[in-house]
């Protein structure tokens, strides 16, 4: 009941800073305004550019994009972007990622994380960011950038999943602010913007381009304008419109000049060349013209500024649509235009010229004098040049899928290994019947698990993933963070499935890197003839129940005391020995080595006594047994290093690591005592307690079959 109530109490992630904290970080010449109500952002103004409005926007990522980290808690960064969408500052405020705590990564604590986020400074949020290990840096110390707008970030070894989540947190938070305050278009669904085919030029007339939609056109009659004001205070105020309903109230022409065919048809070859030569910043340029009673340019129009009568939006977000101050006479089109201007949008605004954009004309009517009541209405032209003028890059894949692509080789190798292991566990007879063959296969697979799955692919499953799952669900964040680590996700899926089939043995005995390391240490200790501890059965059972107490403690701590839980999770030496390869401060290394030394004396000590992983979900008694097993034969019990076989011959599957030694003995006529006796004498061993099950096919024994106790693998 207490666990359910704890899950119900969902925390609300929020920022930790107040206005004075921002003022201490951003001094002269900036002035920190009050936090906005529509989006949790502090605008910063400068007395040097008082009329320009905010010059910086400062915010905490946890207020906008509280993406759960690997451990389950969102990280928090203080981010500052300028009005062009460039990163000015990225500061770490809070993080609980296991790989960056307790002075990990060679005693550097979170210094690698801080060095990673410092790479964003000076780069635009509109860039495509790619993460690579040991990326070549330029002379200024920042990451290199190519002409395709890609920014390469140098990742942090052994922290791939955390780094991807950090990158997603920083960019998601910054883009949300940019879309809300800087007019950046939302292209999360549309993908990268289309690119103009500069090499394509068609000699076309203005009228021909009007007909095929290359030039957008909107005509609004007086009657249509009057209809827009129907039911408002502006209705019936235009006497001329009432007298001449069919005449033009407003006519709008729009042409995307960056397309050579359209630009030259509108401006002429010479004027088009001059216009493009002046376009140093590679802005998106449109020719905008109006005619009729309503004109684009009024008495309040300021060349080089935005027009109050015209706006541009895409995906529902308005962009900064600014007059370019060009006095040009168009070469084609109608000659009785009321206004003809060139407007532009910054190239960093993430606008896609190949997709429809909305050009909004706003007009008003005033009722009364002195303090008139003003009614505003708008007409919208949706315009996109024909697709033949563009190339359309493929849509950007979601970040989690990029992570899967980057680890395709690791996933393929692991998938093949899981397939082989599944076949062996489902049909173990051939592998296990020969002690030498089983030993070679098992040692080879465990070496693969330790080196490839553990140290190289970073696929060590941990209680951190369980507690992280709990925290993510409590925080209402879902499980998306697990998608960033496909290797661990594959292992988790296989482990859950195998728990139902074989119990804990499939993972604990074959796929746990630390378990493999313990097994090698234990076998080395036996080869060196070091004393081996065998505890009395009753004491061993009590000690083995301790891992369930460890699991309960860690789960409760994760729910009720998250910070304490992060410390208690260090009961697992996995991070020290596998994730970080013993590259940690000495107390953690000493603890991991102590656990391994205990495993040298008491076979796989940690797995049997302390490990919180494992479960009781098994549904199959898959190990074959004979009626003589335990009554009187104790051959398999003596060979089991895990003490998972009772004197009665019964298998305790919760303690079985599926090493297949007993399966090999069962199928080996040279090692199975009941089979040996039967071969030599033709008699069965004396059964001390009558066996109830019916006889089933036994091992490879000539002549009469021996009865089995339970269903086994043929």
């Amino acid at each position: 009941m207490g666990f359910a109530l704890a899950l119900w109490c969902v925390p609300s992630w929020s920022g930790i800073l107040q206005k004075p904290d921002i003022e201490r970080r951003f001094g002269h010449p900036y002035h920190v305004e009050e936090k906005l109500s529509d989006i949790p952002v502090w605008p910063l103004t400068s007395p040097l550019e008082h009329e320009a409005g905010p010059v910086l926007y400062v915010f905490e990522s946890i207020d906008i994009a509280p993406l759960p980290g690997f451990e389950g808690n969102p990280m928090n960064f203080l981010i500052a972007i300028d009005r062009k969408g460039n990163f000015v500052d990225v500061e770490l405020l809070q993080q609980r990622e296991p790989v960056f705590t307790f002075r990990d990564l060679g005693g550097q604590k979170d210094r690698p994380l801080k060095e990673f986020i410092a790479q964003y400074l000076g780069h635009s949020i509109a860039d495509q960011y790619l993460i690579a290990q040991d990326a070549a840096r330029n002379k200024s110390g920042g990451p290199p950038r190519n002409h395709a707008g890609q920014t390469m970030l140098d990742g942090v070894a052994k922290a791939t999943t955390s780094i991807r989540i950090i990158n997603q947190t920083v960019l998601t938070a910054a883009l949300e602010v940019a879309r809300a305050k800087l007019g950046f278009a939302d292209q999360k669904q549309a993908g990268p913007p289309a690119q103009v085919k500069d090499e394509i030029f068609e000699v076309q007339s203005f009228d021909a381009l009007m007909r095929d939609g290359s030039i957008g056109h909107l005509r609004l009659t007086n009657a249509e304008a009057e209809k827009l004001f129907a039911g408002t205070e502006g209705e019936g105020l235009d006497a001329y419109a009432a007298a001449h309903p069919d005449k033009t109230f407003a006519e709008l022409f729009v042409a995307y000049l960056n397309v050579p065919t359209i630009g030259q048809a509108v401006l002429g070859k010479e004027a088009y060349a001059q216009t493009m030569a002046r376009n140093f910043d590679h802005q998106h340029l449109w020719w905008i013209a109006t005619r009729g009673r309503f004109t684009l340019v009024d008495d309040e129009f300021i060349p080089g500024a935005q027009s109050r009568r015209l706006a541009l939006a895409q995906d529902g977000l308005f962009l900064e649509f600014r007059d370019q101050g060009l006095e040009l006479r168009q070469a084609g089109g109608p000659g009785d235009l009321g206004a003809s201007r060139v407007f532009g949008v910054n190239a960093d605004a993430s606008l896609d010229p190949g997709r429809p954009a909305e050009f909004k004309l706003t007009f008003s009517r005033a009722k009364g004098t002195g303090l008139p009541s003003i009614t505003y209405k708008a007409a919208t032209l949706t315009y996109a040049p024909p697709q033949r003028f563009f190339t359309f890059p493929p849509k950007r894949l979601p970040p989690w899928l990029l992570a899967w692509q980057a680890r395709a080789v690791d996933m393929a190798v692991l998938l093949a290994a899981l397939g082989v292991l599944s076949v062996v566990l489902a049909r173990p007879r051939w592998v296990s019947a020969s002690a030498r063959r089983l030993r070679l296969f098992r040692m080879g697979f465990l070496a693969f698990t330790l080196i490839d799955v553990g140290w190289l692919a970073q696929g060590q499953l941990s209680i951190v993933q369980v507690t992280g799952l709990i925290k993510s669900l409590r925080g209402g964040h879902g499980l998306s963070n697990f998608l960033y680590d496909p290797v661990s996700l594959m292992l988790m899926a296989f482990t859950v499935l195998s728990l139902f089939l074989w119990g804990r043995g499939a993972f604990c005995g074959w796929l746990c890197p630390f378990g493999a390391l313990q097994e090698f240490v234990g076998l080395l200790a036996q080869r060196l003839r070091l004393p081996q501890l065998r505890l009395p059965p009753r004491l061993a059972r009590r000690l083995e129940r301790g891992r369930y107490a460890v699991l309960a403690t860690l789960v409760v701590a994760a729910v009720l005391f998250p910070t304490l839980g992060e410390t208690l999770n260090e009961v697992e030496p996995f991070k020290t020995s596998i994730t970080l390869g013993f590259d940690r401060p000495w107390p953690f290394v000493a603890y991991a080595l102590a656990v391994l030394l205990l495993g040298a004396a008491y076979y796989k000590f940690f797995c049997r006594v302390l490990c919180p992983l494992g479960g009781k979900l098994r549904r199959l008694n898959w190990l074959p047994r004979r009626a003589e097993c335990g009554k009187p034969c104790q051959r398999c019990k003596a060979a089991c290093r895990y003490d998972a076989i009772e004197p009665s011959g019964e298998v305790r599957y919760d303690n079985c690591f599926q090493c297949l030694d007993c399966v090999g003995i069962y199928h080996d006529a040279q090692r199975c005592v009941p089979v040996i006796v039967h071969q030599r004498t033709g008699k069965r061993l004396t059964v001390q307690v009558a066996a109830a099950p019916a006889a089933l096919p036994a091992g490879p024994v000539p002549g009469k079959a021996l009865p089995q106790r339970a269903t086994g693998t043929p």
Side-chain angles (χ1 to χ4, degrees):
M1 177 64 72
F3 179 76
L5 289 175
L7 284 178
W8 182 261
C9 299
V10 178
S12 176
W13 306 112
S14 59
I16 61 175
L17 300 182
Q18 302 296 326
K19 183 179 177 180
D21 300 311
I22 306 301
E23 291 174 334
R24 282 194 294 271
R25 286 170 167 83
F26 297 88
H28 182 79
Y30 299 115
H31 174 73
V32 181
E33 306 288 345
E34 296 296 328
K35 182 183 282 189
L36 302 179
S37 59
D38 57 337
I39 185 169
V41 169
W42 285 281
L44 271 61
T45 57
S46 171
L48 303 178
E49 301 181 68
H50 183 70
E51 300 299 328
V55 294
L56 294 181
Y57 291 94
V58 181
F59 48 95
E60 293 181 68
S61 65
I62 203 168
D63 284 331
I64 301 170
L67 304 182
F70 180 81
E71 194 272 337
N73 288 293
M75 289 168 275
N76 192 17
F77 302 93
L78 183 67
I79 303 173
I81 60 175
D82 63 20
R83 56 191 176 203
K84 292 184 178 180
N86 297 316
F87 287 102
V88 175
D89 189 26
V90 182
E91 175 187 348
L92 173 64
L93 296 178
Q94 287 179 328
Q95 67 88 18
R96 295 176 179 174
E97 290 299 274
V99 76
F100 293 120
T101 57
F102 299 110
R103 301 190 64 80
D104 292 332
L105 295 173
Q108 301 175 75
K109 199 178 180 181
D110 53 16
R111 193 180 77 184
L113 189 156
K114 294 178 180 178
E115 292 176 349
F116 174 80
I117 61 177
Q119 298 176 87
Y120 290 99
L121 304 189
H123 292 281
S124 171
I125 59 179
D127 288 350
Q128 179 186 5
Y129 288 86
L130 302 176
I131 300 174
Q133 299 297 335
D134 302 321
R137 296 179 176 274
N138 58 28
K139 294 181 180 179
S140 63
R145 180 178 180 179
N146 64 22
H147 296 293
Q150 295 176 332
T151 297
M152 190 74 70
L153 298 179
D154 188 10
V156 178
K158 304 176 183 178
T160 303
T161 301
S162 295
I163 287 300
R164 292 185 182 277
I165 296 173
I166 292 167
N167 181 59
Q168 187 70 7
T169 298
V170 172
L171 293 182
T172 298
L175 284 170
E176 287 299 323
V177 174
R179 288 167 185 142
K181 295 301 171 186
L182 304 181
F184 277 48
D186 186 354
Q187 294 182 351
K188 289 184 290 185
Q189 301 299 325
Q195 303 295 319
V196 174
K197 295 179 180 178
D198 293 321
E199 70 279 6
I200 293 181
F201 174 70
E202 305 169 0
V203 179
Q204 297 277 1
S205 67
F206 187 95
D207 292 338
L209 294 178
M210 283 273 292
R211 287 192 296 268
D212 71 5
S214 297
I215 297 175
H217 177 236
L218 170 69
R219 179 176 180 268
L220 195 68
T221 65
N222 286 325
E224 292 169 333
E226 184 64 32
K227 187 176 181 179
L228 292 174
F229 286 97
T232 70
E233 292 186 351
E235 182 178 8
L237 298 181
D238 191 343
Y240 183 86
H244 305 87
D246 295 329
K247 289 196 173 183
T248 300
F249 172 74
E251 198 167 3
L252 175 66
F253 299 88
V254 174
Y256 185 58
L257 297 178
N258 297 63
V259 173
T261 298
I262 300 175
Q264 293 195 33
V266 173
L267 302 181
K269 184 176 181 179
E270 183 177 347
Y272 173 76
Q274 294 175 358
T275 302
M276 292 297 108
R278 288 188 49 179
N279 189 21
F280 304 111
D281 297 330
H282 305 288
Q283 295 190 75
H284 300 283
L285 300 180
W286 285 267
W287 172 73
I288 305 293
T290 58
R291 69 177 176 181
R293 299 174 58 213
F294 180 84
T295 181
L296 176 65
V297 177
D298 60 1
D299 293 338
E300 297 183 358
F301 179 80
I302 301 175
Q306 293 178 274
S307 170
R308 297 194 305 171
R309 295 190 168 193
L310 179 67
L312 170 63
Q314 190 174 63
D315 299 313
L317 296 174
F318 288 97
L319 294 93
E320 185 176 349
F321 198 44
R322 188 175 295 275
D323 176 69
Q324 300 301 296
L326 298 177
E327 296 290 344
L328 297 173
R329 183 181 299 276
Q330 74 277 5
D336 55 346
L337 297 175
S340 176
R341 310 286 301 184
V342 174
F343 279 73
V345 168
N346 196 301
D348 290 334
S350 296
L351 178 135
D352 189 343
R355 295 174 49 241
E358 295 78 42
F359 295 81
K360 180 180 178 183
L361 278 179
T362 301
F363 32 89
S364 62
R365 289 183 181 179
K367 182 177 182 180
T369 57
L371 294 175
S373 174
I374 302 177
T375 303
Y376 293 94
K377 290 295 176 181
T380 300
L381 167 64
T382 300
Y383 165 73
Q387 294 191 359
R388 69 179 186 274
F389 295 126
F390 299 95
T391 59
F392 293 87
K395 291 185 178 181
R396 287 175 183 158
L397 297 175
W400 68 266
L401 190 53
L402 292 174
W404 285 49
Q405 285 186 339
R407 308 200 66 180
V409 174
D410 290 335
M411 294 172 63
V413 171
L414 179 59
L415 185 62
L418 294 179
V420 171
L421 180 62
S422 299
V423 171
V424 168
L425 295 181
R427 291 289 183 268
R429 180 169 181 167
W430 181 84
V431 169
S432 63
S434 167
R436 182 175 183 274
R437 185 163 55 232
L438 175 60
R439 183 172 61 254
L440 291 176
F441 176 77
R442 182 162 176 79
M443 292 300 99
F445 199 96
L446 290 180
F448 162 78
T449 296
L450 175 61
I451 298 172
D452 188 84
V453 176
W455 286 330
L456 297 181
Q458 297 287 288
Q460 172 72 66
L461 297 190
S462 167
I463 191 62
V464 171
Q465 285 146 329
V466 177
T467 57
L469 170 66
I470 294 172
K471 293 176 183 179
S472 293
L473 294 177
R474 288 185 64 229
H477 302 302
L479 307 178
S480 60
N481 56 314
F482 286 92
L483 293 175
Y484 289 88
D485 189 3
V487 170
S488 295
L489 188 62
M490 289 177 62
L491 285 170
M492 284 188 282
F494 181 85
T495 299
V496 170
L497 179 61
S498 64
L499 278 174
F500 284 96
L501 297 177
W502 299 301
R504 67 177 295 200
F507 169 73
C508 297
W510 294 89
L511 292 171
C512 177
F514 186 75
L517 180 59
Q518 277 195 108
E519 187 146 342
F520 286 127
V521 170
L523 293 176
L524 178 62
Q526 294 176 18
R527 180 65 63 89
L528 296 176
R529 300 185 182 278
L530 298 180
Q532 297 296 300
L533 181 63
R534 299 293 289 261
L535 299 178
R538 181 175 296 181
L539 176 59
R541 304 298 175 267
R542 290 180 178 177
L543 289 177
E544 288 166 359
R545 285 196 290 269
R547 60 193 185 89
Y548 298 109
V550 172
L551 174 61
T553 301
L554 296 180
V555 170
V556 171
V559 174
L560 301 178
F561 313 103
T563 302
L564 175 62
E566 294 162 15
T567 302
L568 295 179
N569 285 342
E570 292 292 334
V571 70
E572 290 183 332
F574 301 167
K575 183 169 69 173
T576 298
S577 58
I578 304 300
T579 304
L580 300 175
F582 294 99
D583 187 11
R584 294 191 79 184
W586 73 265
F588 299 98
V589 175
Y591 171 70
L593 292 177
V595 169
L596 291 173
L597 288 175
L598 285 172
Y602 185 69
Y603 196 69
K604 298 190 81 165
F605 164 81
F606 181 82
C607 298
R608 298 165 66 182
V609 177
L610 292 178
C611 183
L613 299 181
K616 293 177 173 289
L617 302 177
R618 175 192 51 81
R619 289 295 176 265
L620 299 177
N621 294 336
W622 67 279
L623 291 172
R625 313 300 293 150
R626 302 185 191 280
E628 293 85 359
C629 293
K631 297 184 280 292
C633 182
Q634 300 291 311
R635 175 70 175 85
C636 291
K637 178 183 178 346
C640 182
R641 300 184 180 95
Y642 307 96
D643 295 329
I645 300 179
E646 299 283 6
S648 64
E650 298 293 333
V651 177
R652 291 185 295 109
Y653 284 91
D654 291 342
N655 297 84
C656 176
F657 282 71
Q658 245 167 298
C659 65
L660 302 182
D661 283 343
C662 64
V663 178
I665 294 172
Y666 174 90
H667 287 298
D668 190 349
Q670 305 302 316
R671 290 185 291 164
C672 182
V673 175
V675 174
I676 294 173
V677 171
H678 184 76
Q679 286 179 324
R680 292 178 179 177
T681 66
K683 298 179 180 180
R684 293 175 54 197
L685 290 177
T686 301
V687 179
Q688 297 175 350
V689 180
L696 295 173
V701 183
K704 186 177 179 180
L706 295 177
Q708 293 179 305
R709 178 180 303 165
T711 301
T713 303

